[in-house]
């Protein structure tokens, strides 16, 4: 029997709307591969609507790094139209694997690391999970540093000059370190309360952040008396060969910005009330919000150039120029909510599940979240965003290439090999259908190694040699995400067809519930 023809078993129940859950009375019992955070979400608890997914994306897209994406592209020589176009196209492209991987979460109620078990094996799934967790921890640190910086700058506006000129530790005032730790504490306070609290937080955070961004636009428009200088700035690259040399690596970098969520989106869609809800919510929320937010950032920055004589891309620095105490407090609250909403959803949920998948009997969702927070604090996040070349080409480009490789394998396995058919109990069963060889599927590992090498082996610039780490692969480096996704997808399908895994008897990792007489 080929993997594509697996039919539902007595261990799971399929509902008319296509969603599947464990059958009544089935309890997963192997503590090496399951805990209460990793088990499939029962259909009765899958309640996220189109608005919930839309609010999730609005809350995540409206953050300081996404606001400054356009500034990074303008710094590389694009005009505002080229920058907004690049961001819009990138988010339409990354939406495709987002929806494809999200389908499995809604259908089966499983998180990303459990979905990865179908292709990588029960133990092998820790490879992509830990890579995703490492990236999320780094992003958590970046966002937390930016959120702490918002507290530091805007609090200094309220508390006086002494706050910002306090004695330095490690190159920064101790008050800035305190602001950083305070922001981390706020995030932890929310995440330890679980996913339902996160859903409620995102529901009200999304419209609040939109209102705050529009208020900032109205404020700068009044002071500027209109927009002009930045909007009239011509492109330094034109539309010729100079532009395309920058466009493609920039496009891959912009895709890399959300390539993280294109993997672990099942962590959220597992709570979806229907496939229609997650598809509509994400399609309405991601590309439209990111494009409009990029345009908004350009307009506000243009106004700042008209008012202050120089473009101010950082909304925190711009808000700090407000004369009103009430306005400064409002700006501080908007910055906090915007950064909290993206950092918790995008960068804490994933490593919490990923680390829990590594040691289910020891690490719960909450413990994993705390570990992620700790790692994010000690990786020097302020250095990752100091230079737009390093930020876009090195950080986002390399991350995008590696994660695109994993996405290609997941899409190939779920859609091409299995035709969306999974056996839920076997995803938690050692020596079962997804055990392969000692818990590892060598086909997925080989596809990941080769695809990852093709995607990022030619990386150049910044910390990498100018001729590329592997010289003959340098031409592929500018297309890292696309190269990684396409090559791993094709190779995984080819290896699975040429050397199909040996079918084994399917033991169970569950026990039927006993009935009392």
């Amino acid at each position: 029997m080929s993997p594509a023809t697996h039919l539902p078993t007595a261990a799971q129940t399929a509902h008319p709307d296509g969603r599947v859950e464990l059958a009544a009375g089935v309890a997963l019992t192997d503590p090496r591969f399951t805990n209460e955070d990793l088990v499939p979400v029962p259909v009765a608890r899958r309640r996220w609507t189109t608005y919930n997914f839309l609010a999730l994306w609005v809350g995540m897209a409206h953050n300081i790094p996404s606001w400054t994406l356009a500034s990074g592209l303008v710094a590389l020589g694009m005009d505002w139209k080229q920058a907004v176009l690049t961001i819009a196209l990138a988010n339409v492209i990354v939406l495709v694997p987002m929806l494809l991987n999200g389908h499995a979460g809604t259908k089966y109620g499983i998180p990303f690391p459990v979905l990865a078990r179908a292709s990588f094996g029960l133990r092998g799934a820790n490879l992509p999970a830990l890579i995703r967790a490492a990236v999320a921890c780094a992003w958590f640190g970046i966002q937390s540093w930016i959120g702490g910086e918002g507290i530091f700058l805007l609090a200094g506006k309220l508390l006086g000059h002494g706050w910002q000129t306090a004695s330095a530790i490690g190159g920064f005032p101790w008050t800035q370190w305190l602001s950083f730790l305070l922001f981390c504490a706020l995030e932890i306070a929310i995440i330890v309360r679980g996913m339902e609290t996160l859903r409620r937080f995102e529901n009200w955070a999304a419209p609040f952040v939109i209102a705050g961004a529009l208020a900032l636009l109205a404020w700068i428009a009044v002071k500027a008396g209109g927009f002009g200088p930045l909007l009239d700035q011509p492109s330094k690259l034109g539309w010729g060969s100079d532009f395309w040399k920058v466009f493609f690596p920039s496009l891959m970098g912009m895709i890399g910005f959300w390539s993280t969520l294109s993997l672990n989106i099942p962590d959220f869609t597992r709570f979806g009330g229907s496939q229609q809800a997650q598809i509509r919510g994400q399609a309405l929320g991601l590309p439209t919000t990111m494009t409009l937010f990029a345009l908004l950032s350009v307009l506000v920055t243009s106004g700042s150039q008209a008012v202050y004589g120089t473009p101010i891309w950082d909304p925190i620095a711009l808000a700090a120029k407000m004369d009103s105490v009430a306005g400064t407090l409002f700006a501080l609250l908007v910055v906090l909510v915007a950064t909290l909403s993206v950092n918790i959803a995008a960068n804490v949920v994933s490593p919490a599940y990923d680390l829990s998948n590594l040691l289910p009997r020891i690490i719960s969702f909450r413990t994993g979240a705390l570990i992620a927070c700790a790692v994010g604090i000690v990786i020097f996040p302020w250095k990752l965003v100091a230079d737009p070349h390093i930020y876009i080409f090195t950080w986002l480009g390399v991350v995008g290439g590696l994660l695109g490789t994993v996405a290609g394998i997941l899409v190939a396995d779920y859609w091409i090999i299995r035709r969306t058919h999974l056996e839920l109990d076997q995803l938690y069963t050692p020596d079962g259908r997804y055990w392969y060889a000692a818990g590892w599927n060598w086909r997925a590992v080989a596809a990941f190694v080769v695809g990852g090498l093709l995607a990022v082996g030619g990386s150049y610039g910044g910390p990498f040699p100018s001729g590329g780490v592997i010289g003959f692969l340098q031409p592929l480096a500018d297309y890292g995400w696309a190269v990684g996704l396409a090559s791993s997808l094709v190779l995984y399908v080819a290896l699975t067809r040429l050397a199909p895994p040996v079918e084994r008897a399917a033991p169970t990792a569950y026990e039927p519930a006993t009935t009392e007489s």
Side-chain angles (χ1 to χ4, degrees):
M1 182 184 296
S2 68
T5 58
H6 291 162
L7 299 175
T9 68
Q12 62 191 40
T13 300
H15 291 261
D17 64 359
R19 291 183 297 168
V20 177
E21 64 181 339
L22 289 174
V26 172
L28 303 172
T29 58
D30 194 319
R32 294 172 298 169
F33 299 104
T34 188
N35 61 27
E36 63 179 11
D37 298 307
L38 296 176
V39 297
V41 177
V43 167
R45 287 177 46 211
R46 301 181 204 174
R47 297 192 293 264
W48 284 36
T49 64
T50 297
Y51 176 77
N52 292 138
F53 287 108
L54 175 63
L56 176 73
W57 275 113
V58 171
M60 288 197 296
H62 287 175
N63 62 84
I64 308 305
S66 66
W67 178 283
T68 58
L69 282 180
S71 69
L73 296 179
V74 170
L76 296 174
M78 294 186 183
D79 64 18
W80 72 271
K81 296 184 292 295
Q82 292 170 332
V84 172
L85 173 64
T86 303
I87 292 170
L89 181 58
N91 284 279
V92 170
I93 293 172
V94 82
L95 178 66
V96 175
M98 196 87 66
L99 296 177
L100 292 176
N101 285 327
H103 184 279
T106 299
K107 183 172 182 177
Y108 294 100
I110 53 177
F112 156 64
V114 174
L115 172 62
R117 293 175 182 179
S119 52
F120 282 84
L122 267 72
R123 288 175 174 162
N126 287 312
L127 172 64
L130 290 179
I131 291 172
R132 173 65 184 95
V135 172
C137 289
W139 268 120
F140 173 84
I142 291 172
Q143 294 276 12
S144 296
W145 180 257
I146 291 171
E149 186 179 35
I151 294 177
F152 171 71
L153 290 177
L154 298 179
K157 183 81 173 179
L158 301 175
L159 300 177
H161 186 65
W163 175 265
Q164 294 185 348
T165 57
S167 56
I169 300 176
F172 296 94
W174 68 264
T175 48
Q176 185 162 356
W177 291 112
L178 177 62
S179 300
F180 177 47
L181 294 177
L182 284 174
F183 190 81
C184 290
L186 280 173
E187 295 172 311
I188 292 170
I190 294 175
I191 199 62
V192 296
R193 299 180 65 86
M195 289 294 289
E196 186 62 22
T197 298
L198 173 63
R199 182 181 71 87
R200 292 196 297 267
F201 176 75
E202 295 290 351
N203 281 351
W204 71 263
F208 178 78
V209 171
I210 291 176
L214 292 175
L216 184 62
L217 175 64
W219 170 72
I220 197 66
V222 170
K223 290 184 70 70
F227 303 104
L230 189 68
L231 300 183
D232 294 334
Q233 183 91 11
S235 170
K236 297 176 183 176
L237 304 172
W239 288 96
S241 60
D242 289 341
F243 169 74
W244 298 111
K245 289 177 183 177
V246 174
F247 170 76
F248 285 109
S250 297
L251 181 68
M252 293 301 107
M254 297 304 101
I255 291 173
F257 191 80
W258 287 124
S259 64
T260 49
L261 267 292
S262 71
L263 286 188
N264 75 287
I265 194 64
D267 294 344
F268 302 95
T269 59
R270 67 191 300 225
F271 299 99
S274 67
Q275 292 292 356
Q276 186 180 67
Q278 71 98 0
I279 292 172
R280 286 184 176 179
Q282 294 202 84
L284 291 172
L286 173 57
T288 55
T289 301
M290 285 294 292
T291 303
L292 291 174
F293 206 50
L295 180 59
L296 185 63
S297 73
V298 167
L299 292 174
V300 171
T301 304
S302 177
S304 72
Q305 185 174 16
V307 174
Y308 301 106
T310 184
I312 302 174
W313 286 96
D314 185 349
I316 297 175
L318 182 59
K321 291 184 174 292
M322 289 183 175
D323 299 324
S324 165
V325 172
T328 301
L329 285 173
F330 177 72
L332 174 60
L333 185 59
V334 171
V335 167
L336 289 178
V337 172
T339 310
L340 280 169
S341 65
V342 65
N343 215 19
I344 293 172
N347 303 318
V348 178
V349 171
S350 174
Y353 282 125
D354 297 336
L355 293 170
S356 180
N357 186 71
L358 179 65
L359 294 169
R361 71 175 81 196
I362 298 175
I363 302 177
S364 66
F365 177 85
R366 289 175 175 83
T367 304
L370 294 176
I371 294 173
C373 294
V375 173
I377 291 173
V378 300
I379 53 117
F380 308 124
W382 49 91
K383 293 187 178 181
L384 291 175
V385 293
D387 186 312
H389 285 79
I390 293 177
Y391 180 50
I392 292 176
F393 292 144
T394 304
W395 169 241
L396 292 179
V398 171
V399 164
L402 289 176
L403 298 184
T405 303
V406 176
I409 295 169
L410 295 185
V411 170
D413 184 77
Y414 181 70
W415 286 96
I416 300 175
I417 300 298
R418 304 190 187 282
R419 311 284 177 83
T420 76
H421 291 294
L422 297 175
E423 295 181 21
L424 273 176
D425 67 299
Q426 295 299 295
L427 291 169
Y428 302 84
T429 304
D431 296 317
R433 193 173 302 285
Y434 308 117
W435 186 246
Y436 301 104
W440 290 79
N441 183 5
W442 65 267
R443 302 157 193 81
V445 175
F448 172 76
V449 171
V450 174
L453 190 64
L454 292 174
V456 304
S459 297
Y460 63 93
F464 302 117
S466 58
V469 177
I470 302 175
F472 71 91
L473 292 178
Q474 182 180 349
L476 299 179
D478 290 346
Y479 313 93
W481 181 83
V483 168
L485 187 144
S487 60
S488 65
L489 186 151
V490 171
L491 184 57
Y492 180 79
V493 171
L495 290 174
T496 303
R497 300 293 193 208
L498 293 173
V502 177
E503 290 293 338
R504 59 176 69 227
T508 61
Y510 67 89
E511 295 176 354
T514 58
T515 57
E516 296 181 359
S517 58

